[in-house]
Amino acid sequence: MSTIRTLSEIVERVRGRKGIVAVAVAEDVVVLKAIKAAVNEEIAEFLLFGNQRKIEEIAGEIGLDHGYKIVGTQSNADAVKKAVEAVAKGEASLLMKGKVKTGDLLSVYLKEEYGLRTGRTMNLVSVFEIPEYSRLLVVTDAGMVIAPDLKQKADSIVNASIVARALGIEPPKVAVLGAIEVVNEKMPATLDAAILSKMSQRGQLGKVVVDGPFALDNAVSIEAAKHKGIESPVAGQADILIMPDIEAGNIFYKAMVFLGKAEVASSIVGGKIPIILTSRADSDRTKLYSIALNVLLSEG
């Protein structure tokens, strides 16, 4: 498979495949507008779990008139339960968060009875298309794991690599970030980065090339890496950035979107079925790209 270099290419790649998406608590105008865009692009069809009257009302207001089936429920909790059950039974290939808290959705998703756990930490993995940058950049974690420990960072590398491979990146080059590019015993992020690099060398993280610590500049800029005298196959050429914590990840995400004018697509990865997560602050294109990315992942 050729490497995907733009988010619009993801939409093109999955057009016509029409994966089935179970939406938990679908009575939300933001969510239903995203669904309408996906239906119009012929990338997915939807099972909408929630208040039937409210869903029908919003769908009528926005002109969503095909590509979905409503499954009426008595409560939000019932909608979440039935949406997760649909995925667990194979009636849907993807799960999408509607008007429900992420934690409430995950607490049901992770119940042993549904068999959707993998044993790995679940991460928010985001794919950025940044103006003037030559390729897509995979980043984790901007919204799930607050202060990841070493094992959680190792899991995040595996999760992000799944996304990178779906984009045709092989083998993914992973930069583990800190504030500086050398190990400092007073900066735990640099210690984790060095250990993860050695774990990768020993084959503990799969077929990926991991190095670190890196500061952001010498992870994405060959010139910056050369200036610091860093020799590494990852230096300046990272496909994946592993953030040291949620604060760094969230700031990076919002800086890229609001200041860097980047487009982005995201997925919650780490379970057997990826989860589509859209935000009210996301652009319409971002919502569409996130659905398309998850359709691509579901077929990987």
Side-chain angles (χ1 to χ4, degrees), residues 62-257:
I62 66 173
L64 174 61
D65 57 8
H66 67 287
Y68 67 92
K69 175 184 176 182
I70 299 174
V71 181
T73 61
Q74 298 301 312
S75 65
N76 286 359
D78 189 37
V80 171
K81 180 175 182 291
K82 288 182 176 177
V84 173
E85 285 177 347
V87 170
K89 292 176 181 178
E91 297 168 0
S93 55
L94 284 166
L95 182 64
M96 182 172 179
K97 175 183 173 293
K99 197 174 183 179
V100 60
K101 292 180 180 178
T102 303
D104 292 342
L105 180 62
L106 289 177
S107 67
V108 177
Y109 180 98
L110 292 172
K111 287 184 176 180
E112 287 189 19
E113 63 196 85
Y114 296 120
L116 297 173
R117 295 180 179 182
T118 63
R120 294 196 310 276
T121 303
M122 297 186 73
N123 296 105
L124 181 68
V125 180
S126 302
V127 181
F128 289 87
E129 182 180 337
I130 304 167
E132 308 303 321
Y133 198 68
S134 62
R135 61 190 182 277
L136 295 176
L137 190 61
V138 181
V139 179
T140 190
D141 184 325
M144 288 285 291
V145 184
I146 295 173
D149 59 23
L150 183 65
K151 181 186 182 304
Q152 289 170 325
K153 287 181 180 178
D155 285 346
S156 74
I157 290 173
V158 175
N159 292 337
S161 297
I162 290 170
V163 176
R165 288 193 177 92
L167 299 172
I169 301 169
E170 189 66 62
K173 295 186 287 293
V174 183
V176 187
L177 298 189
I180 57 175
E181 63 281 345
V182 294
V183 174
N184 184 322
E185 68 276 10
K186 295 181 180 179
M187 303 176 76
T190 68
L191 299 174
D192 285 349
I195 295 169
L196 290 164
S197 178
K198 179 57 68 175
M199 289 173 67
S200 174
Q201 291 176 19
R202 298 288 169 85
Q204 292 177 257
L205 302 176
K207 294 182 179 180
V208 293
V209 181
V210 181
D211 202 0
F214 284 103
L216 176 61
D217 57 346
N218 42 61
V220 299
S221 167
I222 292 175
E223 290 75 16
K226 286 181 178 178
H227 181 72
K228 290 292 183 75
I230 301 172
E231 295 184 5
S232 164
V234 178
Q237 303 179 78
D239 302 304
I240 297 171
L241 303 180
I242 303 299
M243 293 292 164
D245 55 33
I246 198 172
E247 292 171 339
N250 194 270
I251 291 168
F252 178 90
Y253 183 109
K254 290 175 180 174
M256 290 297 100
V257 171

Side-chain angles (χ1 to χ4, degrees), residues 28-47:
D28 181 87
V29 66
V30 172
V31 170
L32 290 177
K33 282 183 176 179
I35 287 168
K36 179 183 177 183
V39 169
N40 288 343
E41 291 283 356
E42 298 184 342
I43 63 175
E45 294 181 339
F46 296 84
L47 294 175

Side-chain angles (χ1 to χ4, degrees), residues 123-126 163 265-269 274-277 293-294 297:
N123 296 105
L124 181 68
V125 180
S126 302
V163 176
S266 296
S267 175
I268 298 178
V269 185
I275 301 174
I276 303 167
L277 179 69
L293 173 65
N294 281 271
L297 290 173

